[in-house]
Amino acid sequence: MPDNDSDLLMQVARTLRRCWAAAYAPMGLTPHQARALRVTGEQDGLRLSALADALRISPRSATEVVDALEKADLVARQPDPTDRRAILVAVTARGRRTLATLAAARTKDADDFFGRLTDHERAALRDILGKLAR
């Protein structure tokens, strides 16, 4: 058992990440690729630099992630209509379907994981985590 609160919180986060990694694997995605797809799907196209910033990774690493997602036909690069020199990354139709599958898997895994808690405990946990996140 972890020695302190931060170790315990990290153990819980790692456990959730393992659950999600197992859910993403049949789709051929790593957790990092799934997160990049989710971030890209929240926009109507975004620049690689914006994706790198959102993921807190280097632009070179963002390029590698987008290359893999593009190869899987989950995203596509397209010209930025506001700047001909820039390229936007947008989710494809297949990517949208994959996002829906990812969201369902994450929701199911979270429901299973947190299902051990009572409604009262879940509400208290949300309050605590929200306070810590601010």
Side-chain angles (χ1 to χ4, degrees):
M1 191 63 132
D3 292 340
N4 58 50
D5 295 341
S6 61
D7 288 344
L8 185 58
L9 183 61
M10 291 307 299
Q11 182 179 346
V12 168
R14 281 191 298 273
T15 301
L16 273 173
R17 286 179 62 132
R18 279 192 302 274
C19 289
W20 291 331
Y24 303 156
M27 293 175 246
L29 294 172
T30 66
H32 201 62
Q33 291 167 337
R35 184 163 179 255
L37 185 61
R38 283 194 321 272
V39 168
T40 303
E42 293 168 358
Q43 308 292 320
D44 191 26
L46 77 159
R47 292 182 182 184
L48 273 170
S49 59
L51 179 61
D53 289 346
L55 297 176
R56 295 186 183 105
I57 60 175
S58 72
R60 172 75 181 129
S61 294
T63 298
E64 292 171 2
V65 171
V66 169
D67 287 347
L69 292 174
E70 189 173 38
K71 185 176 180 182
D73 190 33
L74 300 174
V75 301
R77 289 177 168 95
Q78 50 193 235
D80 184 336
T82 63
D83 181 351
R84 338 180 271 167
R85 299 166 297 170
I87 298 292
L88 297 178
V89 179
V91 176
T92 63
R94 181 175 181 184
R96 293 263 173 234
R97 290 190 301 274
T98 301
L99 279 171
T101 303
L102 288 172
R106 283 177 63 93
T107 298
K108 181 191 176 311
D109 285 347
D111 286 347
D112 291 347
F113 186 78
F114 293 109
R116 297 176 259 179
L117 303 176
T118 67
D119 289 345
H120 178 73
E121 289 169 331
R122 287 177 84 157
L125 179 61
R126 269 192 304 277
D127 288 345
I128 292 165
L129 293 174
K131 186 182 285 187
L132 293 173
R134 285 189 283 279

